[in-house]
Amino acid sequence: EVQVVESGGGLVEPGRSLRVSCTASGFTFDDYAMSWFRQAPGKGLEWIGFIRSKTYGGTAEYAASVRGRFSISKDDSKRIAYLQMNSLKTEDTAMYYCTRNGPYGGNSRADYWGQGTLVTVSS
Amino acid sequence: DIQMTQSPSSLSASVGDRVTITCRTSQGISRYLNWYQQKPGKAPKLLIYGVSSLQSGVPSRFSGSGSGTDFTLTISSLQPEDFATYYCQQTSNTPWTFGQGTNVEIK
């Protein structure tokens, strides 16, 4: 059974950093890109970024709202994708979701979603 | 960025009704259009990808159609478990963008 499980969310002060993780099982992790999305309380869905599989260079793309502050990485040996969030702002408060995507990342669908991890940025 | 205009933003319907949700994009996106269902407190779930392909395990009462800049999600006979919020998403270009959502409520 395909599963992705996020962890590492919590309360963090503005300007600080936080790393959330996404642990995958039930599929060949190396073969897939992984994406991150978020949803602020009571709002719609926002794409944050994705990281391609190594077959396609393992490169990442990001939304403008997080580019330069957030970075995505993928440890195929551990089957974990990471979202490193730096210089956090109060507007980054949201539920953060990890998804499995097609290997190239671009033009792909998010076919499996985790349950999400809540990040609250507040002093 | 590609803008996604989803309509209606909400609708009330009865069990058994046929429901149609539309999504218009600000430019052509080929067939890179997906639909997701989200229930309160839960993660989104992929229903339809590539405009009209049904994700494995999704009931056949869900269907997608469209081309160019105009797309439609249809639920042929609404069931109690279908009351949820539905989002369209384009993956033609980054940044990937979503419609604002359609909340389907019980009439």
Side-chain angles (χ1 to χ4, degrees):
Chain A
E1 180 193 5
V2 172
Q3 279 195 313
V4 292
V5 178
E6 303 90 341
S7 59
L11 176 63
V12 60
E13 293 180 341
R16 303 296 290 259
S17 298
L18 187 69
R19 187 179 77 168
V20 294
S21 303
C22 171
T23 303
S25 60
F27 63 98
T28 306
F29 188 70
D30 309 31
D31 289 348
Y32 288 86
M34 299 298 290
S35 298
W36 288 92
F37 297 85
R38 67 183 178 185
Q39 187 170 36
K43 301 297 184 182
L45 296 166
E46 179 186 12
W47 171 73
I48 294 173
F50 63 72
I51 185 165
R52 295 182 176 87
S53 67
K54 278 203 169 60
T55 298
Y56 289 94
T59 54
E61 294 195 28
Y62 301 94
S65 58
V66 304
R67 194 176 299 127
R69 298 190 300 125
F70 289 13
S71 64
I72 299 172
S73 59
K74 191 173 179 277
D75 186 330
D76 289 344
S77 66
K78 294 182 178 178
R79 305 174 61 84
I80 299 177
Y82 299 100
L83 175 65
Q84 175 69 44
M85 300 181 285
N86 299 328
S87 303
L88 280 159
K89 306 175 182 180
T90 55
E91 53 264 39
D92 294 319
T93 293
M95 183 70 78
Y96 284 74
Y97 295 103
C98 165
T99 73
R100 187 183 83 162
N101 282 77
Y104 177 64
N107 306 140
S108 70
R109 61 192 183 269
D111 58 358
Y112 287 91
W113 294 64
Q115 83 289 350
T117 189
L118 182 63
V119 173
T120 303
V121 184
S122 175
S123 55
Chain B
D1 298 3
I2 296 175
Q3 308 304 313
M4 311 286 285
T5 304
Q6 201 175 323
S7 62
S9 56
S10 66
L11 66 89
S12 294
S14 300
V15 172
D17 284 354
R18 181 181 182 88
V19 169
T20 299
I21 299 168
T22 63
C23 183
R24 175 164 289 175
T25 61
S26 60
Q27 64 188 73
I29 58 168
S30 186
R31 296 190 65 79
Y32 299 113
L33 191 284
N34 307 317
W35 291 96
Y36 298 89
Q37 176 194 65
Q38 187 177 32
K39 296 181 179 179
K42 300 293 187 183
K45 171 188 173 183
L46 178 66
L47 297 177
I48 302 284
Y49 63 93
V51 176
S52 59
S53 296
L54 193 67
Q55 174 68 1
S56 176
V58 173
S60 58
R61 62 180 179 273
F62 291 93
S63 64
S65 63
S67 63
T69 61
D70 292 295
F71 304 92
T72 299
L73 172 71
T74 300
I75 309 172
S76 60
S77 177
L78 198 66
Q79 297 301 301
E81 59 268 31
D82 300 337
F83 293 95
T85 300
Y86 294 84
Y87 294 93
C88 58
Q89 178 210 25
Q90 67 80 21
T91 58
S92 175
N93 295 349
T94 56
W96 294 346
T97 46
F98 288 88
Q100 79 278 18
T102 295
N103 185 26
V104 177
E105 300 174 322
I106 301 172
K107 194 173 198 177

